[in-house]
Amino acid sequence: MRLVDTSAWIEWLIGSPVGSALAQQLPERTQWLVPTIVQLELAKWLTREIGEDKADQVIAFTQTCIVVDLDTSIALSAADLCARRKLATADAIVYATALAQGADLLTCDRHFEKLPSVRFVPKSKG
């Protein structure tokens, strides 16, 4: 199982060089976890940057993957991760979701880089 963070989704969707490298690491839909917080972040970014029609298409695609709702267990784990790992709320929810599902996290966000079960692909060198 693999959870694809919003940063990796965006790189893949815009077809950046990093997105091309990420494409090889994207799971099959039956193994692709999508937290509802990632759906929110994608809808927000896509509507703002590309338009509502594209946002609707991408959200429809996410619904063919395994959508994971934010429940109490994940929320409490995320709260702990905020305190222990100094993660922002949304990032903690994403990481807690991956941990709860026994999945790895595919991301381009550097603040996840040293955490267990993370596949970090940098956006650029430096």
Side-chain angles (χ1 to χ4, degrees):
M1 299 286 265
R2 176 157 299 154
L3 192 155
V4 180
D5 183 41
T6 307
S7 63
W9 271 95
I10 290 171
E11 293 298 320
W12 178 57
L13 289 168
I14 65 173
S16 72
V18 171
S20 296
L22 287 166
Q24 300 169 15
Q25 297 189 51
L26 296 176
E28 293 188 25
R29 292 180 197 183
T30 59
Q31 298 294 307
W32 190 328
L33 298 177
V34 183
T36 50
I37 191 87
V38 169
Q39 288 179 312
L40 178 153
E41 291 176 329
L42 285 172
K44 180 179 162 185
W45 183 85
L46 286 161
T47 300
R48 182 183 67 235
E49 299 295 325
I50 299 174
E52 196 169 326
D53 288 342
K54 183 66 172 179
D56 290 345
Q57 291 172 13
V58 172
I59 297 305
F61 175 85
T62 68
Q63 291 175 311
T64 68
C65 301
I66 301 167
V67 176
V68 184
D69 294 327
L70 175 59
D71 63 16
T72 302
S73 176
I74 293 171
L76 294 175
S77 176
D80 181 58
L81 288 165
C82 285
R84 281 190 305 113
R85 301 290 190 162
K86 307 294 185 224
L87 293 173
T89 300
D91 292 332
I93 291 168
V94 167
Y95 189 56
T97 302
L99 294 175
Q101 297 293 316
D104 63 15
L105 173 63
L106 180 62
T107 185
C108 298
D109 284 342
R110 190 163 299 282
H111 48 267
F112 289 118
E113 181 178 12
K114 305 279 188 211
L115 297 177
S117 301
V118 170
R119 291 176 173 256
F120 173 68
V121 178
K123 290 183 192 178
S124 62
K125 300 196 190 314

